Amino acid sequence: MISSKKIRKQFIDFFISKQHESVRSSSVVPFDDPTLLFTNAGMNQFKSIFLGDKSPKNNRIVNSQKCIRVSGKHNDLEEVGVDDYHHTFFEMLGNWSFGDYYKSEAIRWAWELLTDIWKLDKERLWVSVYKDDEETKNIWINETDIDKNRILKFGKKDNFWEMGEIGPCGPCTEIHYFHGKNIKNQKASGVNSDPLYREVWNLVFIQYNRDDKGTLNDLPQKHVDTGLGLERIVGILNSTPSNYDTDLFMPIIKSIEEITHRKYDKKHGVSHRVIADHIRMLCFA
Ligand code: SER
């Protein structure tokens, strides 16, 4: 078993080796953003940098941001516990460029970490890109060794990331992992539809600000905002499709078993999963 602590550190250390500064997560309750109840993404605390209102101390940083998604534009509440991989509270591992590197480095480094360092099977990885973003598709084809048949185009719903109704946003490219038993059973139509194909890492290219009239305005600079779900990558690296079978949840589930005298049944264990998830979220909130 590789611990979540070790995996978090491997991510941070990888980006430190690419000249990023490691910074702490911000609070899950934003202090100065009236558009958000909870921090729902790593980029929340950097909004004023993206908008050009504040200068960053360092233009490359890496962090693990604590996030809560229970309301608003990004709301996973109904999925929690019913499936194995949505949570009200989760950690988002992220590398950031504020007007520094852009698509090429972000894509190459993500691929390097997943396939060279963590040695994920390339035959289980899929990539989605925004339908109009040929540049990103070409970077995947020309600068990584991904099989080009595993690069798929999707529309705004899946590959254009926005923090909320207004704010910084841009096209994204997502990396998905196939959790099925037999790699021969994969098909492109499973991505973004079949829960066996899961998004693990989202690379967002922040280049617009959507204003309150819905118009996209160019930002003064282009930025990179990536989010890799810690709970999901810990599941993958421990070869378990369920995030609940990792060291991030099992100790809590064991306590629930002891207190309730009810064994956790992986197949029908929605209640154990929901309680474990919500306890984690409430502790951090
Ligand atoms: N902002 C993107 C997300 O939340 C990537 O970090 O998915």
Side-chain angles (χ1 to χ4, degrees):
M1 175 100 162
I2 317 177
S3 72
S4 51
K5 211 170 158 178
K6 184 163 177 195
I7 293 167
R8 189 193 291 108
K9 187 168 182 318
Q10 286 174 337
F11 181 92
I12 306 264
D13 287 347
F14 176 80
F15 282 101
I16 289 176
S17 80
K18 310 282 185 204
Q19 291 75 49
H20 289 58
E21 181 193 354
S22 166
V23 303
R24 292 187 56 156
S25 169
S26 65
S27 163
V28 291
V29 181
F31 294 114
D32 52 4
D33 190 338
T35 69
L36 289 172
L37 180 60
F38 292 114
T39 298
N40 66 1
M43 53 85 71
N44 296 164
Q45 63 165 318
F46 304 122
K47 200 167 138 183
S48 54
I49 297 178
F50 290 147
L51 294 175
D53 297 337
K54 203 174 132 187
S55 302
K57 286 201 191 79
N58 195 328
N59 56 14
R60 288 186 188 191
I61 64 163
V62 57
N63 68 353
S64 181
Q65 175 64 49
K66 300 175 180 74
C67 299
I68 294 182
R69 288 192 177 172
V70 285
S71 59
K73 189 170 175 67
H74 299 280
N75 181 2
D76 295 330
L77 192 56
E78 299 307 323
E79 271 75 52
V80 172
V82 179
D83 71 22
D84 283 322
Y85 61 104
H86 282 97
H87 306 293
T88 55
F89 168 85
F90 62 96
E91 279 183 65
M92 187 115 80
L93 299 162
N95 56 294
W96 307 83
S97 158
F98 304 126
D100 184 30
Y101 64 84
Y102 203 45
K103 294 179 175 179
S104 169
E105 292 87 341
I107 289 171
R108 283 190 280 112
W109 290 338
W111 194 247
E112 181 185 340
L113 179 59
L114 294 177
T115 64
D116 277 359
I117 310 280
W118 283 333
K119 310 256 181 269
L120 295 193
D121 185 350
K122 289 172 197 162
E123 291 188 28
R124 287 182 176 273
L125 293 171
W126 293 82
V127 157
S128 62
V129 300
Y130 184 54
K131 62 179 177 34
D132 301 332
D133 191 355
E134 274 305 308
E135 184 190 13
T136 294
K137 186 175 175 193
N138 288 333
I139 292 171
W140 277 110
I141 295 173
N142 298 325
E143 299 186 33
T144 75
D145 62 355
I146 191 170
D147 170 352
K148 67 177 185 331
N149 297 316
R150 305 182 79 86
I151 307 170
L152 309 170
K153 283 191 171 172
F154 285 88
K156 190 165 169 286
K157 181 176 149 288
D158 296 296
N159 280 96
F160 194 92
W161 200 85
E162 310 201 37
M163 181 183 117
E165 298 312 323
I166 56 175
C169 55
C172 61
T173 179
E174 294 183 330
I175 304 167
H176 305 251
Y177 184 84
F178 174 67
H179 276 277
K181 285 207 169 65
N182 187 347
I183 59 164
K184 294 207 167 61
N185 288 342
Q186 294 178 80
K187 49 186 188 314
S189 61
V191 176
N192 284 330
S193 68
D194 180 335
L196 278 179
Y197 301 72
R198 284 184 209 159
E199 177 205 333
V200 228
W201 200 344
N202 188 10
L203 317 180
V204 186
F205 308 118
I206 302 267
Q207 61 186 92
Y208 305 111
N209 181 32
R210 192 181 290 283
D211 65 23
D212 53 6
K213 294 185 187 62
T215 310
L216 290 179
N217 304 293
D218 281 330
L219 288 171
Q221 287 187 298
K222 293 177 176 175
H223 313 277
V224 171
D225 151 15
T226 89
L228 169 70
L230 175 72
E231 293 74 6
R232 293 185 188 182
I233 192 69
V234 172
I236 292 171
L237 292 173
N238 283 291
S239 307
T240 166
S242 174
N243 295 354
Y244 293 94
D245 289 340
T246 67
D247 68 353
L248 292 162
F249 288 94
M250 270 334 277
I252 309 174
I253 290 179
K254 288 218 166 66
S255 290
I256 297 168
E257 288 182 324
E258 278 163 32
I259 294 166
T260 62
H261 306 290
R262 300 266 175 157
K263 277 288 212 213
Y264 174 49
D265 169 349
K266 284 185 190 176
K267 202 155 173 224
H268 304 287
V270 178
S271 317
H272 285 74
R273 289 195 287 272
V274 168
I275 295 168
D277 170 276
H278 287 17
I279 283 174
R280 248 164 58 101
M281 190 272 278
L282 288 168
C283 287
F284 283 99

